[in-house]
Amino acid sequence: MTPDTYTLETIDTPAALIDLPRMQHNIARMQHRMNALGVKFRPHVKTTKCLDVVRAQLAAGAQGITVSTLKEAEAFFAAGIKDILYAVGIVATKLPRAMALRKRGCDLKLVVDNAEAAHAVVDYARTHGERCEVWIEVDTDGHRSGITPEQDALLDVGRILKDGGLDVGGVMTHAGSSYDLNDRAALAALAEQERAGCVRAAQRLREAGVPCAAVSVGSTPTALATEHLEGVTEVRAGVYVFFDLVMHNVGVCAMDEIALSVLTTVIGHQPDKGWVIVDAGWMAMSRDRGTAKQSHDFGYGQPCALDGTPLEGLTLIGANQEHGILAASDGSVRDDLVARFPVGTKLRVLPNHACATGAQFPEYQAVSSRGAVQTWARFHGW
Amino acid sequence: MTPDTYTLETIDTPAALIDLPRMQHNIARMQHRMNALGVKFRPHVKTTKCLDVVRAQLAAGAQGITVSTLKEAEAFFAAGIKDILYAVGIVATKLPRAMALRKRGCDLKLVVDNAEAAHAVVDYARTHGERCEVWIEVDTDGHRSGITPEQDALLDVGRILKDGGLDVGGVMTHAGSSYDLNDRAALAALAEQERAGCVRAAQRLREAGVPCAAVSVGSTPTALATEHLEGVTEVRAGVYVFFDLVMHNVGVCAMDEIALSVLTTVIGHQPDKGWVIVDAGWMAMSRDRGTAKQSHDFGYGQPCALDGTPLEGLTLIGANQEHGILAASDGSVRDDLVARFPVGTKLRVLPNHACATGAQFPEYQAVSSRGAVQTWARFHGW
C-alpha cells in the first residue's frame, strides 16, 4: 500500500478502480454464506493477483487460497500464505518449480486428472525423496478438465498416487458452466450436481481405500446458489470479490455490487455518429465480450458517471487498442452526448469480466468511501 | 537481453515466442517497401512495447516511432529514442506528463482532433512558457477518431494551434477499417482513400496558412497494399512486425510469416469429446476473437507443432483462464488426439491478434534460427 495521494480527479486514465466498500461487502457476503453452510472458504486469487485484496479475504475468514499459476503461488507464499491449492493440472516440467515451493515450507497442493501426470508426480517425489500432497480433479459438468465421478480412471489415478507414496489430499471440481445460466433454479440444480458429483467421487475413492479428506467445489454462481453442501469440506470462488457484468447477467449480483471499474477520460467526439471517444479501449477493458451471448449484451462495458451511477441507455459499443466508443445502446444517434460529456469528462466503465479486465493493469486504484485512493500492486505472467 | 540460457524444451509454459528470422523478414519487407515508395517509416510500437524489437526496427531504417500511451513514450525516450508521435488524442490532464517529456529533450508530438483539446494545449504552453508540436488527426474511413478532410473543424483546429503559437507539425490518419477487408483491390482502394484524404487535409491547412509538413498515414494492411504515396511523408504500421491470424485472413501475410506464437504444454485430455487440454487459456492467448467475423474463424488460435508447422484441421476451440481446448476444427470427435499429443507434449499456438496476445506477457522469448532463446522484456500499463 502507498499513502493516500490521489483522488479520482488527479489520477491518470485509464485506471482500474476498486470500490472498497463494495469489495468489502462482497467479501463479507460470501464469507458469511460459507460460514452458514458450514464449510471452509478458499478464495481463488486469480481474479485479482493482488496481495491487498487477498489479505482482506483472509481477514474476513478465508482459509487458504486457490491459485491458477505457479507465479501466484510463489508471490503469495512470499507474503506468508502457506495453504495453497494450485488448481490447474500439473505436468512433469512444472514439478521442479512446484516442489521447490514445498521444500521452502509452502503447503502447496497439486492437482492431477490423468495417469501420466500422477505417475510424473510419483516419479519425481520418489527420485528426489520428497513428500507431496495431490488432489484429483473431478469433472461434474463437462465443461473443461477432470475425471467424471463414475469413471474407472478416478480410482486408477487415486491408486497410482497412493501406491506411489503420495498424500492424496482430496478431490476438487469447478462447475464453470454455471456462467452460462441465468436462472436461480438452474443454478441451484447445477450447484447440487457439482456437490453430489464431487462427494460421490470422494466416496468411491474412500471405498477403494484411497484417503480423500478434502471435498472442494466451487464457482461464484454455484457458491451463491447452493442450498446445502453436505459432504463438502470447502468452497472456492474468485470473481465474487469484484463481480462484473457477466455475473450480473447470471443473476448473482446487483449492478451496484460490481466493485471493479475502469476510470476513463473523454478525448473526443464524432457528433455525426453520436459517438463519444474515451481513452478506455480494449487494452484497458480487455477483449472479453462475455456478455455477448447473454441476455443483455453490454458491449465492451457499462458506462457510469464518476460517482458510479450507470448511464442508462449508453454502452461502450466499440473498442480499439486505446480508444473506446461510447454511444447509445440502441444504435440511435444521440445528439445530446457532445454537450453532456465534453472533452476531459471523467467516467467509469463496468467491465464484462473482472478477471480479464484486471489483468490489463499493473495496479489497482483502491477507492475508499471518502474518495481517497491507494495504489495496490498486482502482477501478471506465469 | 539476457544470455542464451533456455531452449524451447526447458522454458516454462505458457510463453510468448518470437520467431526471430520471421520477425527480421517482416521488418525488412516493410522497410524495403517504404524505401521503394519514398517515405519515412515510423513503426507503431504499441504492438510489442519491447525495446529489443524496436531497436531492430530502427536498425533496419525506421525513423522515429509511434506510441499509444505516455508510458511507451517515457520508456522509449529513456532508451534514447527522441522522435516520438503520441498518436492518441491528448487531453488537458495528460499535458503535465507529456510536456515533462518534452522539457527533458524528447521530440514528442501530440495529436488533437477537436477545438477543446487544441485550446488546452495552447493554454498549457502559454501558461508554462513552453513550445509544443501538435499534429491534427484526420478521419479518412469513419472508423474511429479524427476530423474528415472537408470539415470546417479541420481549419478551426489548425488556426487555434497556429494562432496559439504552437508548431503545427502535420496531419495523421489511420485507416483501421482495413482490418475488415480481405481483398487486394479493396485494400488498395482503401489505401488510396487514406492517402488522398490525408493529403487533401494537408492541402486545405496549407491553403489556410497553417503549416503542415508531415502527412502521416498507415495501417499494416494499407501500408502493404498501397500503390503510390504521392504527397505522403511517412507511414505508420505496427502489427506487421509479428503479423497474426487476423492479418493472414486480411490477406497481407502468409501463415509462415507469423512471428509470434504461444508455447504451451498438453496437461490433460477429455477423450470422449476429442479434447486436448493445454496450458494456454485466454490469459495467454488473450480474449481477442478477431477472426470470428472473418472468412476463417481460428477460434482462440491455430495450433502448430513445436517446429512451427500448423496442425491442419485442429483449432484452439475454447479457452478458460489457464486452460485451452484443442480439438478438431470441424467439430468432429477425433480419437487419435490422445495418442498423438500425450500429456507433456509441447506445441505452439498462433494468435488471432499479436497486439492483444503480446500484452498478456511480461516478456517475450526470442528464438533464433538455431533454437537459442533470449528473454526480451516488455511492459504494460499506462
Side-chain angles (χ1 to χ4, degrees):
Chain A
M1 293 193 205
T2 56
D4 298 351
T5 23
Y6 300 104
T7 69
L8 292 189
E9 294 299 337
T10 59
I11 211 167
D12 275 354
T13 58
L17 304 184
I18 300 174
D19 182 313
L20 284 179
R22 290 184 184 184
M23 181 191 87
Q24 291 290 6
H25 160 82
N26 297 340
I27 289 172
R29 175 187 171 198
M30 182 65 83
Q31 188 64 52
H32 180 77
R33 190 170 165 75
M34 294 302 113
N35 294 347
L37 286 163
V39 292
K40 280 175 57 176
F41 182 56
R42 182 191 291 281
H44 206 317
V45 301
K46 73 181 178 73
T47 299
T48 69
K49 306 196 185 192
C50 173
L51 185 58
D52 301 284
V53 175
V54 173
R55 283 191 174 133
Q57 292 169 307
L58 293 170
Q63 295 180 61
I65 61 172
T66 313
V67 301
S68 68
T69 63
L70 287 172
K71 190 168 194 172
E72 290 163 59
E74 290 163 348
F76 289 109
F77 176 65
I81 300 169
K82 291 187 177 174
D83 181 359
I84 301 178
L85 172 66
Y86 173 37
V88 177
I90 194 77
V91 286
T93 48
K94 296 184 184 180
L95 282 168
R97 194 170 160 193
M99 297 296 270
L101 270 174
R102 285 189 59 89
K103 284 179 80 167
R104 288 163 52 209
C106 180
D107 180 17
L108 183 70
K109 300 132 174 59
L110 305 181
V111 167
V112 300
D113 76 347
N114 61 78
E116 300 99 303
H119 280 302
V121 185
V122 167
D123 291 348
Y124 189 98
R126 187 170 288 155
T127 305
H128 294 81
E130 291 169 22
R131 295 201 64 80
C132 185
E133 179 174 343
V134 182
W135 293 20
I136 301 173
E137 183 169 3
V138 176
D139 177 10
T140 51
D141 68 345
H143 89 287
R144 193 170 75 190
S145 298
I147 309 170
T148 56
E150 302 297 341
Q151 274 182 297
D152 294 342
L154 178 72
L155 303 186
D156 296 343
V157 169
R159 290 186 185 113
I160 291 166
L161 296 171
K162 175 174 178 263
D163 297 347
L166 301 182
D167 303 317
V168 185
V171 286
M172 56 82 68
T173 193
H174 167 61
S177 63
S178 59
Y179 282 47
D180 300 330
L181 305 177
N182 64 355
D183 167 80
R184 191 80 192 174
L187 284 169
L190 181 62
E192 173 55 17
Q193 176 181 319
E194 181 186 43
R195 182 203 70 79
C198 205
V199 169
R200 170 66 180 151
Q203 179 192 19
R204 288 193 69 216
L205 284 165
R206 290 170 189 148
E207 286 171 3
V210 179
C212 186
V215 180
S216 176
V217 303
S219 75
T220 287
T222 52
L224 292 171
T226 187
E227 286 161 3
H228 77 97
L229 286 172
E230 193 180 328
V232 167
T233 63
E234 67 167 41
V235 168
R236 309 178 323 281
V239 76
Y240 80 96
V241 69
F242 287 159
F243 286 124
D244 53 31
L245 295 167
V246 165
M247 288 296 110
H248 177 69
N249 276 338
V250 170
V252 292
C253 73
M255 196 74 98
D256 65 5
E257 290 177 311
I258 300 176
L260 182 71
S261 62
V262 173
L263 183 69
T264 188
T265 305
V266 174
I267 62 170
H269 303 91
Q270 294 290 17
D272 296 347
K273 302 193 184 82
W275 288 359
V276 178
I277 310 292
V278 298
D279 68 355
W282 62 253
M283 187 60 84
M285 300 309 304
S286 90
R287 274 293 195 192
D288 199 297
R289 290 280 291 103
T291 59
K293 59 184 177 189
Q294 294 185 305
S295 54
H296 184 138
D297 184 349
F298 284 96
Y300 280 93
Q302 171 62 53
C304 302
L306 191 57
D307 69 0
T309 310
L311 300 169
E312 295 296 333
L314 300 179
T315 299
L316 207 63
I317 63 163
N320 285 258
Q321 186 158 337
E322 298 291 347
H323 299 74
I325 300 173
L326 185 161
S329 314
D330 62 5
S332 64
V333 177
R334 293 265 295 262
D335 57 11
D336 61 325
L337 300 183
V338 174
R340 191 169 161 201
F341 305 114
V343 170
T345 304
K346 286 196 173 177
L347 301 170
R348 293 194 197 193
V349 185
L350 301 176
N352 283 314
H353 187 178
C355 306
T357 301
Q360 303 298 107
F361 290 84
E363 69 269 316
Y364 298 106
Q365 309 298 335
V367 186
S368 76
S369 58
R370 58 190 171 84
V373 180
Q374 289 192 324
T375 299
W376 286 2
R378 64 159 288 152
F379 54 92
H380 75 157
W382 286 268
Chain B
M1 293 193 205
T2 57
D4 298 351
T5 24
Y6 300 104
T7 69
L8 292 189
E9 294 299 338
T10 58
I11 210 167
D12 275 354
T13 59
L17 304 184
I18 301 175
D19 182 314
L20 283 179
R22 291 185 184 184
M23 182 191 86
Q24 290 291 4
H25 160 82
N26 296 341
I27 289 172
R29 175 187 172 199
M30 182 65 84
Q31 189 64 51
H32 180 76
R33 189 171 166 75
M34 294 303 113
N35 294 347
L37 287 163
V39 292
K40 282 174 56 176
F41 182 57
R42 182 191 292 279
H44 206 318
V45 302
K46 74 183 176 73
T47 300
T48 69
K49 306 196 185 192
C50 172
L51 185 58
D52 301 285
V53 175
V54 173
R55 283 190 173 132
Q57 292 170 305
L58 293 170
Q63 294 178 61
I65 61 172
T66 313
V67 302
S68 69
T69 64
L70 286 173
K71 189 169 194 171
E72 290 163 60
E74 289 163 349
F76 289 109
F77 176 66
I81 299 169
K82 291 187 177 174
D83 180 359
I84 300 178
L85 173 65
Y86 173 37
V88 177
I90 194 78
V91 285
T93 48
K94 296 184 183 179
L95 282 168
R97 194 169 160 195
M99 297 296 270
L101 270 174
R102 287 189 58 89
K103 283 179 81 168
R104 289 163 51 207
C106 180
D107 180 18
L108 183 71
K109 299 134 175 56
L110 306 180
V111 166
V112 301
D113 77 345
N114 61 78
E116 299 99 303
H119 280 302
V121 185
V122 167
D123 290 349
Y124 189 97
R126 187 171 287 155
T127 304
H128 294 81
E130 292 169 20
R131 295 202 63 79
C132 184
E133 180 175 342
V134 182
W135 293 21
I136 301 173
E137 183 169 4
V138 176
D139 177 11
T140 53
D141 69 345
H143 89 288
R144 193 171 73 191
S145 298
I147 309 169
T148 56
E150 302 297 342
Q151 273 182 296
D152 293 342
L154 178 72
L155 304 187
D156 295 344
V157 168
R159 289 188 186 111
I160 291 166
L161 297 171
K162 175 174 177 261
D163 296 348
L166 302 181
D167 302 318
V168 186
V171 286
M172 56 83 66
T173 193
H174 167 60
S177 62
S178 60
Y179 282 47
D180 300 329
L181 305 177
N182 65 355
D183 167 81
R184 191 82 191 172
L187 284 169
L190 182 61
E192 173 56 16
Q193 177 182 319
E194 181 185 43
R195 182 204 69 79
C198 205
V199 169
R200 171 65 180 152
Q203 179 192 18
R204 288 192 69 215
L205 284 166
R206 290 171 189 147
E207 286 171 2
V210 179
C212 186
V215 180
S216 176
V217 304
S219 76
T220 287
T222 53
L224 293 171
T226 187
E227 288 162 0
H228 78 96
L229 286 172
E230 194 181 327
V232 167
T233 63
E234 67 167 41
V235 168
R236 309 178 323 282
V239 78
Y240 80 96
V241 70
F242 288 159
F243 285 124
D244 53 31
L245 294 167
V246 165
M247 288 296 110
H248 176 68
N249 276 338
V250 169
V252 293
C253 71
M255 197 73 99
D256 65 6
E257 290 177 311
I258 299 176
L260 183 71
S261 62
V262 173
L263 184 69
T264 187
T265 304
V266 174
I267 63 170
H269 302 91
Q270 293 291 16
D272 296 347
K273 301 194 185 82
W275 289 359
V276 178
I277 310 292
V278 298
D279 68 355
W282 62 253
M283 187 61 84
M285 301 308 304
S286 90
R287 274 290 195 194
D288 199 296
R289 291 279 292 103
T291 60
K293 59 184 178 188
Q294 293 185 305
S295 54
H296 184 138
D297 184 350
F298 284 96
Y300 279 93
Q302 171 62 53
C304 302
L306 192 56
D307 69 0
T309 309
L311 300 169
E312 295 297 332
L314 300 179
T315 299
L316 207 64
I317 62 163
N320 284 258
Q321 186 157 335
E322 298 291 347
H323 299 74
I325 301 173
L326 186 159
S329 314
D330 62 5
S332 63
V333 177
R334 292 266 295 264
D335 58 12
D336 62 326
L337 299 183
V338 174
R340 190 169 161 201
F341 305 113
V343 169
T345 304
K346 287 197 173 177
L347 301 170
R348 293 194 196 193
V349 186
L350 301 176
N352 283 314
H353 188 178
C355 306
T357 302
Q360 304 297 106
F361 290 85
E363 68 270 315
Y364 299 106
Q365 310 297 336
V367 186
S368 76
S369 57
R370 60 193 169 80
V373 180
Q374 290 193 323
T375 300
W376 286 2
R378 64 158 288 151
F379 55 92
H380 77 158
W382 285 267

